[in-house]
Amino acid sequence: MQTQQDRIIVTMGATAHGACVHHHDFPEVRAEGQSPKEAAAHLANKLAASMDSALTEWRRQSISQAIADVKDYVNREG
């Protein structure tokens, strides 16, 4: 079983001082920022925007859980 911390993936961004973040279940949705926290906040917004194209209840629930995971990560980062 994956822990919540395993679901948020942080890598180097396009610049040496940036971060790129994605959710384990949605690797195709990525966001960048000056810090992991900033990138994760952008990621939550991108995931929320993808709700418009979620055609099934299962997909909406999956995206909603990913958004909750990302928001928890942002809150933990302070």
Side-chain angles (χ1 to χ4, degrees):
M1 178 99 187
Q2 262 186 335
T3 65
Q4 180 188 7
Q5 291 179 340
D6 294 338
R7 294 183 195 144
I8 309 303
I9 313 300
V10 179
T11 58
M12 281 187 61
T15 66
H17 300 289
C20 182
V21 177
H22 71 274
H23 190 278
H24 179 271
D25 295 341
F26 297 95
E28 69 278 9
V29 182
R30 296 174 180 262
E32 291 198 13
Q34 293 298 315
S35 68
K37 180 181 177 180
E38 180 182 310
H42 291 304
L43 178 61
N45 292 335
K46 284 187 167 191
L47 288 167
S50 71
M51 289 289 274
D52 292 340
S53 63
L55 302 178
T56 64
E57 183 61 28
W58 173 83
R59 186 69 168 173
R60 286 188 290 276
Q61 288 176 350
S62 297
I63 294 170
S64 293
Q65 182 58 55
I67 292 168
D69 293 343
V70 173
K71 286 183 177 181
D72 286 345
Y73 174 84
V74 170
N75 290 335
R76 278 195 325 273
E77 289 295 305

